[in-house]
Amino acid sequence: TFIEFDTDTITFDTAGSERLRIDSNGHVTIGIAANTVTSGYLQIPRYSADSNAIELHSLRNDVAPADLAFYKSRSTSYGSYTAAQSGDTIMSIGSYVDNGSAYALRGVYQSYLSGTGVDYAWKTSTSTESMRLTNAGRLGIGTDNPSGKLEVKSAGATAVFDSGAASDGRLEFEYNSSRVGLLAYHSDRLEIQT
C-alpha cells in the first residue's frame, strides 16, 4: 500500500493495483488508472456484477432516508449565495449507452425550480421532453404545461387501454371512492354506465 505523487497527479495503490487517482484537473477516478472516457469530476467504473458502483445507507433509528442532495445557486463562488431563478435546472441525471464509438445520451431526468416549488421532467435522447410532473401535482405527457391533473398530447393515439382480455375491459370513474361512471368494452359492444 502506498501513495504516489507524480507530476500534478496523486495516486493511491493497494495490493499492487491503483485504486484512486486525482489528476492535475482535479478529476477523481476510483478503480481505474486514468479518466479518459468522460470529462466528469468523479468516475467510478464497475467491471463485474459483484457490487454496486455507489451505495448509500441510512443507519439511523428513525424514518430518515439515505440522502442524495442536489443544490442550485447562481453564485459563482462556493460559500456565497445568489438566489436561483424560476426555470433553473436543479438536478439532472443522464442515461448514456456505448454505441460502438462513443457514449450517446438516451434519456434525462431533471428537476426545475418553478416559483417556490419544483417540477420534474423526463426527456428523450434528443432532449425532447416526454413527461412533466409540476409542483401543482399536474402530470403532462407530451406537454410541459399541463392544464389539468392529467393532460396528454399526442399526434397519434392519445391513450390505449388494454385489459389483456379478448372480451372485456373497463375504465371506471370514481368520486369519493364510489363509482359514478363506467366505460366498458365487450366482444360485441361498447357499454357506458352512469
Side-chain angles (χ1 to χ4, degrees):
T1 301
F2 65 91
I3 301 174
E4 185 176 352
F5 299 89
D6 293 327
T7 304
D8 295 329
T9 302
I10 303 172
T11 59
F12 299 80
D13 294 49
T14 61
S17 297
E18 184 174 312
R19 306 298 183 186
L20 184 142
R21 170 182 293 244
I22 305 172
D23 68 17
S24 60
N25 295 313
H27 296 176
V28 177
T29 55
I30 298 175
I32 57 174
N35 185 347
T36 59
V37 178
T38 70
S39 59
Y41 277 90
L42 174 62
Q43 187 175 3
I44 308 171
R46 179 182 180 211
Y47 293 111
S48 63
D50 58 350
S51 63
N52 298 314
I54 298 175
E55 292 183 357
L56 304 175
H57 298 256
S58 176
L59 303 177
R60 295 171 50 171
N61 187 19
D62 57 24
V63 297
D67 296 279
L68 177 62
F70 296 85
Y71 296 82
K72 171 61 181 175
S73 172
R74 288 232 171 186
S75 171
T76 58
S77 61
Y78 190 72
S80 63
Y81 300 94
T82 302
Q85 298 177 14
S86 190
D88 283 358
T89 305
I90 301 169
M91 174 271 299
S92 184
I93 300 175
S95 298
Y96 294 79
V97 296
D98 187 339
N99 65 12
S101 60
Y103 281 108
L105 179 66
R106 289 294 179 257
V108 180
Y109 171 57
Q110 295 179 317
S111 66
Y112 299 91
L113 182 63
S114 177
T116 58
V118 174
D119 286 2
Y120 295 91
W122 290 261
K123 296 183 176 182
T124 62
S125 58
T126 59
S127 295
T128 301
E129 190 165 310
S130 300
M131 184 169 63
R132 179 177 289 235
L133 178 63
T134 71
N135 64 342
R138 295 176 176 176
L139 180 63
I141 301 175
T143 176
D144 61 2
N145 189 23
S147 58
K149 284 294 184 182
L150 173 63
E151 183 175 345
V152 181
K153 288 188 177 180
S154 173
T158 301
V160 176
F161 299 93
D162 187 345
S163 69
S167 60
D168 189 28
R170 63 181 58 207
L171 177 62
E172 295 187 6
F173 301 88
E174 293 186 354
Y175 175 74
N176 285 338
S177 300
S178 296
R179 193 175 82 187
V180 295
L182 171 68
L183 176 63
Y185 70 88
H186 306 278
S187 60
D188 59 346
R189 70 189 188 282
L190 181 66
E191 178 183 356
I192 300 175
Q193 296 181 9
T194 58

